[in-house]
Structure formats: structure tokens, C-alpha cells
Amino acid sequence: MTMQTVREVMTTSVVYLPSETTLAEAARTMREQDIGDVVVADGPELTGVVTDRDIVVRAVAERCDPAATTIGEIVSTGLVTVHPDDSIHSAALLMRDQAVRRVLVCDDNQGLVGIVSIGDLAEEIDPESVLGGISKASPNT
């Protein structure tokens, strides 16, 4: 049996936004794209990742104005990456060790090629688990 790779489960449609994007606009983009994160990039340089949870915990809970606060002000800059050919098990262990829910998938030649979430891995590693079941369910609207 061959080990399943990150390439087989990653999301390849990565959404990039510049750091000056407001939280309100980033949230609308996430809603429209049905995603929970955006990659913050100014030109070719990746700054970090902002998640829907970041917007809530780092901004809304602190009473920041979503129309005036930018994603650059709350971005997580400690990028955790995996290679597309890494096993999904090694990616899950890395997520556990780094206490992150998403990792960027970077190829040596192409740079950023995707994102993999803990939900993506749960669906593959243990689809009968509670997390696997939740991840497969249709999103709330």
C-alpha cells in the first residue's frame, strides 16, 4: 500500500489578498469563496495567513473596526509549510507539533501550490471519526 501524499488532498485554489485589505473585505471574500483562510501576499512575497478565526479572535473580540482594520495588522506570519510529496501522516504530525490547523504546501520550483487543513487530513486519515464526519458535511449557510 502506498502512502497518501499531501498533493492528493490539498486545496489548489489559493486565494491571495494584499495586506492592506480590510477585515470586512477579507471576510466577504472568504464567504464568497466558501473558504476559511486567505494567504496575505504583497507582490511575490508571502506575508502570512489570515483565517476566519483570526478575524474573530484578534480583531472582532478586541473591538477593532472591520472596515478600518487591515489583514496586515492581524496576519499570522509564522508560516508552516509542507512539500506536496510529504505523507498526509507527516503533515498531520507537523500540524500537531506546531499547533496549527492549516499548512501551506510549497514546491521547490513553483513556490506555493496549495493549502491543506486539518479537516482535509481528517477526511482521509479517519473518515469515520467525528472530525472526519464534520469536515465532509455541507457548510452552514
Side-chain angles (χ1 to χ4, degrees):
M1 182 169 118
T2 61
M3 188 67 65
Q4 197 167 15
T5 65
V6 169
R7 182 185 316 277
E8 298 171 70
V9 301
M10 70 183 188
T11 299
T12 57
S13 55
V14 178
V15 175
Y16 299 87
L17 292 175
S19 60
E20 68 268 7
T21 304
T22 66
L23 299 180
E25 183 58 35
R28 281 191 293 276
T29 298
M30 289 180 196
R31 180 187 63 205
E32 291 163 5
Q33 299 290 321
D34 192 26
I35 56 176
D37 57 76
V38 293
V39 173
V40 181
D42 292 309
E45 284 298 310
L46 300 180
T47 304
V49 175
V50 169
T51 68
D52 47 6
R53 185 174 190 279
D54 292 334
I55 292 172
V56 171
V57 173
R58 295 183 186 163
V60 175
E62 297 297 325
R63 296 192 172 147
C64 295
D65 179 356
T69 306
T70 67
I71 59 176
E73 295 174 63
I74 66 161
V75 64
S76 297
T77 57
L79 297 176
V80 179
T81 65
V82 294
H83 192 273
D85 296 323
D86 289 347
S87 76
I88 61 173
H89 291 281
S90 66
L93 292 173
L94 178 66
M95 289 174 156
R96 180 198 66 195
D97 294 346
Q98 296 293 317
V100 294
R101 293 174 177 91
R102 293 169 178 84
V103 292
L104 300 180
V105 184
C106 295
D107 181 273
D108 297 335
N109 299 318
Q110 297 175 306
L112 181 63
V113 294
I115 295 177
V116 67
S117 72
I118 193 67
D120 297 331
L121 298 179
E123 285 182 55
E124 295 300 320
I125 294 172
D126 191 0
E128 301 306 313
S129 70
V130 173
L131 182 57
I134 292 168
S135 297
K136 288 189 290 191
S138 297
N140 294 337
T141 53

